[in-house]
Amino acid sequence: MDLNANIPQGNMNERWTDYKGHVKLVNPSNKRKLEVIVVGTGLAGASAAASLGELGYQVKAFCFQDSPRRAHSIAAQGGINAAKNYQNDGDSVFRLFYDTVKGGDYRARESNVHRLAEVSNAIIDQCVAQGVPFAREYGGLLSNRSFGGTQVQRTFYAAGQTGQQLLLGAYSALERQVALGNVTMHSRHEMLDLVLIDGRARGIIARDLVSGELERHFGHAVLLCTGGYGNVFYLSTNAMGSNVTAIWKAHKKGACFGNPCFTQIHPTCIPVSGDHQSKLTLMSESLRNDGRIWVPRLKDEKRKAVDIPEEDRDYYLERRYPAFGNLVPRDVASRAAKERCDEGYGVGTTKMAVYLDFADAIRRYGRIEVGKQGLEHADEGSILKLGKGVIEEKYGNLFEMYEKITGENPYETPMRIYPAVHYTMGGLWVDYELQTTLPGVYALGEANFSDHGANRLGASALMQGLADGYFVIPYTLGNYLADEIRTASIPTSHPAFEEAEKAASDRISRLMNIKGKQTVESFHKRLGKIIWDKCGMARNEKGLMEAIEHIRQLKIEYWSDVKIPGAINEMNSELDKAGRVADFIELGELMCIDALNRQESCGGHFREEYQTPDGEAKRDDENYCFVSAWEYKAEGEWVLNKEPLTFEIVKPSQRSYK
């Protein structure tokens, strides 16, 4: 397959402007004749559906939740990046672009990342206009905080619930278009297949999750905005319903899958407490602004954290990475935590945790407040009380959540954290226009591979989702649809729709007729353990080959012994889950194949055979400076296509945060 990324010519900082100036347009009366399907209504989907509805297209939006407000985007707590440089601390569009390419360990496409940095400022203006309540400084300017992998403050936030507030902004814009009749909302619907006619996207097959009925929907283009596939690991920070199904169906119809093994492990999560758990909770990376990460200097330390004196503490990130300290990128922080725990310095009952301590920040903020309030003779108790008030204002809901889950008060004792699966940098391969290798099929936000390389910097997920939906797709989709204005709506009685619906129906029947003995959940748990152990924070050739074999065996077992209660034509959440887990099993195999093929370490992909003497990721730019775009051929059979990555501006070098 010939992969054409369709990158415009010319200077990097003029490409997007030049593209917009020459792109094909659809006139307003023609837009009303064109139908666009948007699958998923998180930040990318809601912003895309709202923007396209505003332009006049007939939009049909689908989500499996009962409301777009339940999209997993709400869980992105920490913030959203933009190069406003309000702090006057040296930020710029170029620096945001540079940090993102470097943070991704030189495995992202420069042109897409530069565009992302360019539109970042417009996202903040858009959201402020929608009423998103960003935190503000005393003088009225929007406030910023730091995130990992940068030396400037560029992260805009709304306490510890930024994703929720941004989603409400996009949801409001979406609902306005619903009320105006430009968007038709289909909630509690799941896409089960993609319909192609003459090689072009012409619609989807969706299942009404309440009645169990299969439905056919026509569209001149299909936008997949369904988030990431982190739940392939079973335990992750993702919402329980997050899945790979929509993009996997497109993949099996011919859309290449980009870099499936690039998974982000988030360093700041509440540790696993036992086998009963089905989900992990993320403590926002914003906490690393003020929290200091440490472990005891002694192995098997029995003392409580607060009883361990300063000289017996190892602030290992500050020791190993003095230039960035606690704000190193996520992959670096995660591996460092794993290394300390593996060496026997972990804390808590499982010894698989490190401390995140706010005592210094509480004292520091307390002294600042004392000065502001002119309290010359404030005692220690008053200082701490004032400091806790400041921390509560910045992170209160996160601290509350931690206490509810663990029963410990993080104002009084350090939090315990450990890395967990969070975001997936892989996804459907897309070109500069966000179009997949299937004409008319687009992937936005976390569902595509495009902007983060092998490691996403914190607070860039919200930025990419909204950039794609508000500012990129309205231009690039028009370029495609300009050639579709003579294509009348195709009736869903067309043989291609019948065939796709029959395939979806047959698969459901096949699953229901297995009538085995093991639950869907038990298979999902086993799959997750294989992938976490063999393709998680560290991978090696032997483990990956074992994983591929185990997954293939698991797949045979799944299709012969899974038990699904209930019936087809009714609400059946176990059946919904069964289809998703079947897709996860296939994806898991491809992830391990991709990880085995990439014989280098980069970002979140850490092959133990390829590391520097001091344990850092060791890239092989000569042989692996490409995007892996896997083409599905047959059951368990893929062909690797390569998109070479060329770096005109940010020349690849050994990443150093020291």
Side-chain angles (χ1 to χ4, degrees):
M1 179 182 287
D2 181 30
L3 288 178
N4 181 2
N6 287 316
I7 298 167
Q9 299 300 305
N11 291 333
M12 185 71 71
N13 56 0
E14 293 169 3
R15 282 177 189 171
W16 179 233
T17 304
D18 196 51
Y19 174 90
K20 290 188 292 183
H22 295 89
V23 75
K24 285 183 272 191
L25 301 176
V26 181
N27 87 42
S29 60
N30 282 334
K31 285 189 179 111
R32 291 192 286 273
K33 300 172 193 167
L34 294 167
E35 300 173 49
V36 180
I37 287 173
V38 178
V39 184
T41 50
L43 279 182
S47 57
S51 303
L52 296 172
E54 183 92 42
L55 287 171
Y57 294 107
Q58 290 184 53
V59 180
K60 301 166 188 173
F62 295 80
C63 71
F64 66 72
Q65 300 96 337
D66 52 358
S67 162
R69 287 172 302 178
R70 291 197 185 273
H72 184 58
S73 303
I74 69 159
Q77 304 150 327
I80 176 170
N81 289 330
K84 286 281 195 186
N85 194 30
Y86 282 156
Q87 318 296 320
N88 201 26
D89 59 357
D91 202 9
S92 63
V93 165
F94 176 82
R95 192 165 304 261
L96 174 53
F97 157 67
Y98 176 89
D99 286 345
T100 306
V101 173
K102 177 187 173 186
D105 217 354
Y106 307 95
R107 290 295 174 261
R109 188 190 293 146
E110 270 193 334
S111 297
N112 285 57
V113 179
H114 199 281
R115 174 176 65 191
L116 178 67
E118 284 178 64
V119 304
S120 66
N121 292 338
I123 298 169
I124 303 303
D125 298 339
Q126 169 96 353
C127 294
V128 169
Q130 288 173 342
V132 172
F134 286 121
R136 291 179 183 268
E137 300 290 359
Y138 179 74
L141 275 183
L142 298 183
S143 183
N144 285 133
R145 53 190 178 204
S146 300
F147 259 61
T150 70
Q151 289 179 306
V152 296
Q153 290 183 287
R154 65 159 69 100
T155 305
F156 294 77
Y157 63 97
Q161 48 179 267
T162 316
Q164 183 172 346
Q165 298 300 336
L166 291 169
L167 185 66
L168 288 173
Y171 171 73
S172 304
L174 172 63
E175 286 302 308
R176 179 169 174 268
Q177 295 307 315
V178 171
L180 292 171
N182 298 327
V183 176
T184 307
M185 193 67 225
H186 299 270
S187 55
R188 306 304 299 273
H189 279 68
E190 181 166 28
M191 172 182 153
L192 291 189
D193 212 345
L194 179 70
V195 179
L196 299 176
I197 299 175
D198 298 328
R200 290 181 178 273
R202 292 299 182 210
I204 63 168
I205 304 299
R207 183 166 180 266
D208 181 327
L209 299 180
V210 178
S211 69
E213 298 283 323
L214 291 178
E215 299 175 2
R216 308 170 185 181
H217 296 274
F218 166 79
H220 288 90
V222 175
L223 276 53
L224 302 177
C225 315
T226 50
Y229 49 86
N231 276 351
V232 67
F233 288 87
Y234 185 69
L235 281 181
S236 83
T237 65
N238 286 220
M240 297 288 288
S242 298
N243 63 81
V244 75
T245 291
I247 62 171
W248 195 249
K249 299 307 183 197
H251 172 57
K252 291 185 81 171
K253 282 279 171 86
C256 283
F257 207 110
N259 299 333
C261 79
F262 284 176
T263 305
Q264 175 158 80
I265 313 288
H266 197 295
T268 322
C269 299
I270 297 178
V272 176
S273 58
D275 288 341
H276 61 283
Q277 258 182 291
S278 53
K279 180 180 185 326
L280 294 173
T281 303
L282 168 70
M283 300 310 298
S284 166
E285 186 182 317
S286 60
L287 296 173
R288 288 203 276 148
N289 265 279
D290 288 312
R292 297 178 73 193
I293 294 170
W294 62 277
V295 291
R297 286 195 187 277
L298 303 173
K299 292 184 180 182
D300 299 318
E301 175 66 77
K302 299 287 189 288
R303 289 175 288 182
K304 289 182 179 174
V306 290
D307 296 333
I308 299 173
E310 201 69 16
E311 62 270 18
D312 289 344
R313 300 178 177 193
D314 176 16
Y315 295 93
Y316 59 88
L317 289 177
E318 296 171 32
R319 169 172 58 80
R320 286 179 61 178
Y321 308 102
F324 283 73
N326 295 297
L327 287 169
V328 290
R330 291 175 176 180
D331 59 322
V332 177
S334 294
R335 273 199 301 279
K338 180 181 188 295
E339 184 271 333
R340 289 290 80 193
C341 292
D342 288 350
E343 287 296 313
Y345 296 96
V347 301
T349 50
T350 62
K351 299 297 180 191
M352 295 302 279
V354 299
Y355 288 127
L356 178 60
D357 195 338
F358 287 85
D360 282 2
I362 288 170
R363 216 168 259 109
R364 185 176 76 249
Y365 284 125
R367 290 198 189 100
I368 292 169
E369 288 302 303
V370 162
K372 279 160 67 175
Q373 295 179 27
L375 306 171
E376 287 179 23
H377 305 294
D379 59 13
E380 184 74 1
S382 303
I383 291 171
L384 294 180
K385 188 179 176 187
L386 289 166
K388 284 173 187 172
V390 175
I391 291 288
E392 186 176 1
E393 200 175 301
K394 293 179 85 170
Y395 312 111
N397 58 316
L398 302 173
F399 276 52
E400 202 177 300
M401 185 166 69
Y402 182 86
E403 187 167 6
K404 277 184 178 170
I405 291 170
T406 65
E408 296 174 3
N409 179 349
Y411 294 103
E412 307 294 339
T413 184
M415 289 181 178
R416 281 175 293 110
I417 57 165
Y418 193 70
V421 171
H422 181 51
Y423 185 95
T424 47
M425 282 78 64
L428 291 184
W429 183 91
V430 293
D431 64 9
Y432 187 75
E433 298 187 319
L434 306 184
Q435 188 168 212
T436 68
T437 48
L438 287 175
V441 180
Y442 292 76
L444 283 65
E446 194 179 355
N448 74 31
F449 89 98
S450 75
D451 292 10
H452 309 295
N455 172 62
R456 177 176 68 79
L457 291 184
S460 288
L462 301 179
M463 175 172 66
Q464 189 210 342
L466 292 180
D468 288 356
Y470 283 138
F471 297 107
V472 178
I473 204 69
Y475 287 95
T476 63
L477 184 64
N479 198 39
Y480 172 79
L481 291 176
D483 296 330
E484 292 288 310
I485 56 175
R486 290 180 184 81
T487 306
S489 291
I490 297 169
T492 55
S493 56
H494 188 284
F497 279 92
E498 286 187 14
E499 193 183 312
E501 185 184 321
K502 185 177 184 306
S505 176
D506 288 351
R507 188 173 192 253
I508 289 170
S509 300
R510 189 181 157 204
L511 279 166
M512 288 299 289
N513 289 331
I514 294 168
K515 302 192 188 307
K517 293 186 175 63
Q518 301 181 63
T519 63
V520 174
E521 195 81 351
S522 67
F523 279 106
H524 193 181
K525 233 177 200 179
R526 284 164 62 193
L527 173 70
K529 182 158 176 47
I530 294 167
I531 299 183
W532 175 248
D533 289 347
K534 311 286 190 187
C535 194
M537 266 198 277
R539 300 107 190 251
N540 59 53
E541 184 178 10
K542 179 174 175 285
L544 289 165
M545 290 174 81
E546 287 171 0
I548 293 166
E549 195 50 48
H550 290 162
I551 292 166
R552 285 173 179 162
Q553 291 301 319
L554 188 75
K555 184 178 181 180
I556 294 166
E557 200 180 329
Y558 186 81
W559 284 96
S560 60
D561 198 32
V562 75
K563 175 185 181 178
I564 306 165
I568 292 172
N569 289 319
E570 64 179 24
M571 191 170 174
N572 188 342
S573 57
E574 204 63 16
L575 174 58
D576 306 337
K577 195 158 58 175
R580 295 168 192 166
V581 171
D583 294 331
F584 275 141
I585 292 171
E586 294 179 9
L587 165 71
E589 184 181 347
L590 179 60
M591 285 174 72
C592 294
I593 290 170
D594 186 39
L596 185 63
N597 177 269
R598 189 169 281 277
Q599 295 177 23
E600 65 164 353
S601 289
C602 55
H605 167 65
F606 191 74
R607 281 284 297 267
E608 290 170 348
E609 306 95 322
Y610 309 101
Q611 52 182 301
T612 62
D614 55 352
E616 303 295 341
K618 188 178 182 182
R619 289 193 328 271
D620 178 354
D621 292 330
E622 198 176 322
N623 297 304
Y624 291 94
C625 198
F626 60 78
V627 177
S628 300
W630 294 92
E631 189 182 347
Y632 180 80
K633 286 296 182 188
E635 207 68 24
E637 192 185 318
W638 288 270
V639 171
L640 174 61
N641 299 282
K642 300 175 182 179
E643 179 203 339
L645 291 169
T646 52
F647 293 92
E648 302 168 36
I649 296 174
V650 187
K651 300 297 182 190
S653 60
Q654 174 65 41
R655 268 196 321 167
S656 174
Y657 293 95
K658 295 182 177 182

